[in-house]
Each structure stands twice: as structure tokens, then as C-alpha cells.
Amino acid sequence: GENVEQHPSTLSVQEGDSAVIKCTYSDSASNYFPWYKQELGKGPQLIIDIRSNVGEKKDQRIAVTLNKTAKHFSLHITETQPEDSAVYFCAASIDFGNEKLTFGTGTRLTIIP
Amino acid sequence: SAVISQKPSRDICQRGTSLTIQCQVDSQVTMMFWYRQQPGQSLTLIATANQGSEATYESGFVIDKFPISRPNLTFSTLTVSNMSPEDSSIYLCSVRQDSEQYFGPGTRLTVT
């Protein structure tokens, strides 16, 4: 089955700097890659996703890039703010319409004011 | 996006008892999932609960321990049976809608 690795496990950045979280996946058939943000005491919130027919997707300060050849995808957060502090999870799915999501192990991001 | 609510939000239970967690969605969805998240860990899928069919359980999870009901397209329940301290976790309901997957706020369960 699919295996997703996520790095780093913890990340601290100065407010205003950029943060990058990377994930690799094992199954080349995976074609859907969402990112979730989980704040303390809350459920995961979908913040951005990408499908295998595109290489990059942006939404304001958040972007995701996908390298299908290398089987890795990354989350980029620019101009970080204190409210970006949370745990971020990547995930992958082979056939999202019918198959489950496989999650990474999570990255705890701390923004230092 | 789908809005998901769960009841209870948290509970403290004694070992050997059972707890039923409710999940309500504000729109009709076909695919619904139950996850477990142990403290500081990632999300582990317990089962997929599609309306009109039996729940499909992942390896390591069995129906006798985690019975699931899915009576209609907006509601599901997960029961954690004969609880032990190892069942202390956050239990999350999740749904797929419009080619995306959303999560409820979770139920924080502590077993003493």
C-alpha cells in the first residue's frame, strides 16, 4: 500500500519568513495530494490540495508543488504569521473517488513573533 | 464545504464501558469515515461507512470493538466498546464532498 513520509517533524520560523514542509510518497499511481492544518483542540482543516495533472497550485500565501518523477510534494507558506502555528499533515491517495487517504506523520510549525 | 458536528466533544469513561459518538453532516454525503488520532500522532483510519452497505474496517480494527451505524446520508455513529485505557484518543468523523475530504472537530475520549 501507499506510504507517506513527512519532514521535518517540527519547524520554527521567524514571523514573516517562509516555511516549507516536504512529503514523499511510495506509490507512483497516487494522484491526489491534500494538505491539512490542525490547530490545538480542533479537527484537521483542508487548506490546499493538488492533483497529478498540475505541478503547482497557489492560494494567497500558501502554495503546493508536486514532482511526480521524484514522488514528492511540498507545502510552502510565505510571510508567515502567528496564526499559522499549527500541526500540518500531508496525505496521498491512489484513486480519491474510491480509495482512502494515507497521511503523513505531521509537522508542528511554530511561528516566532 | 461540508459542516460536520460531533457529539460528545469530550468524555471521560471507565474501563469496560462503551461510548457512542455521533456525527452529523449538514448535507448528504455518500462516503463517511471514522479516524482515530492518538496524542501527538497522525490520523489512523478505523473504517469507511457508506450508506446502504456494511462498514469496511481497516486492519487492526474489528466490528465487535468499533460497531458503526450509517442510517442515512447525513448521520453516523461509532461505538467504542468495552473500553480500556489504550482507547484514549481523539475520534474524528470525516466525509467526502465535491472531490474533497473534510473532518469534524473530534471527540476527545479518556478512559480511566
Side-chain angles (χ1 to χ4, degrees):
Chain A
E2 175 66 285
N3 182 52
V4 177
E5 295 188 356
Q6 184 172 346
H7 299 281
S9 57
T10 61
L11 178 61
S12 296
V13 301
Q14 290 289 142
E15 182 178 353
D17 288 349
S18 296
V20 180
I21 303 170
K22 298 181 179 180
C23 288
T24 60
Y25 59 98
S26 61
D27 196 324
S28 57
S30 288
N31 58 13
Y32 176 65
F33 309 92
W35 285 90
Y36 289 85
K37 174 184 180 182
Q38 188 174 28
E39 297 175 275
L40 193 62
K42 298 184 178 180
Q45 176 192 4
L46 178 67
I47 56 173
I48 196 167
D49 57 13
I50 192 168
R51 299 178 192 274
S52 60
N53 57 343
V54 298
E56 183 176 4
K57 184 176 179 180
K58 287 185 179 180
D59 183 1
Q60 300 181 9
R61 297 185 297 107
I62 294 173
V64 57
T65 59
L66 172 65
N67 184 325
K68 291 168 56 180
T69 302
K71 291 189 286 187
H72 68 69
F73 56 111
S74 300
L75 177 70
H76 304 254
I77 306 174
T78 59
E79 301 173 16
T80 53
Q81 301 168 3
E83 52 265 36
D84 295 328
S85 293
V87 178
Y88 291 81
F89 292 97
C90 64
S93 176
I94 296 171
D95 176 10
F96 189 60
N98 298 295
E99 297 295 327
K100 65 180 182 180
L101 285 174
T102 300
F103 283 87
T105 49
T107 297
R108 181 173 299 279
L109 174 63
T110 302
I111 306 303
I112 305 167
Chain B
S1 63
V3 176
I4 305 168
S5 59
Q6 287 185 232
K7 290 182 181 179
S9 58
R10 59 177 62 231
D11 207 341
I12 302 173
C13 302
Q14 290 190 340
R15 69 173 64 207
T17 63
S18 298
L19 176 72
T20 296
I21 302 168
Q22 299 179 5
C23 176
Q24 180 75 52
V25 190
D26 69 340
S27 56
Q28 295 184 336
V29 294
T30 301
M31 298 184 79
M32 187 175 281
F33 308 87
W34 286 98
Y35 286 81
R36 182 173 74 182
Q37 186 177 31
Q38 296 181 307
Q41 302 298 311
S42 188
L43 293 85
T44 301
L45 181 63
I46 297 171
T48 301
N50 292 337
Q51 199 270 337
S53 61
E54 295 289 322
T56 302
Y57 290 82
E58 297 297 305
S59 176
F61 298 96
V62 295
I63 188 172
D64 290 347
K65 175 68 175 177
F66 297 100
I68 289 171
S69 77
R70 183 78 201 274
N72 57 52
L73 291 173
T74 62
F75 187 80
S76 178
T77 66
L78 169 75
T79 299
V80 186
S81 304
N82 188 24
M83 288 183 285
S84 66
E86 293 71 39
D87 294 320
S88 296
S89 258
I90 298 171
Y91 292 85
L92 294 152
C93 173
S94 180
V95 304
R96 285 197 187 164
Q97 185 183 62
D98 298 330
S99 299
E100 294 179 337
Q101 187 162 333
Y102 304 97
F103 285 83
T107 295
R108 185 177 296 271
L109 171 63
T110 302
V111 183
T112 61

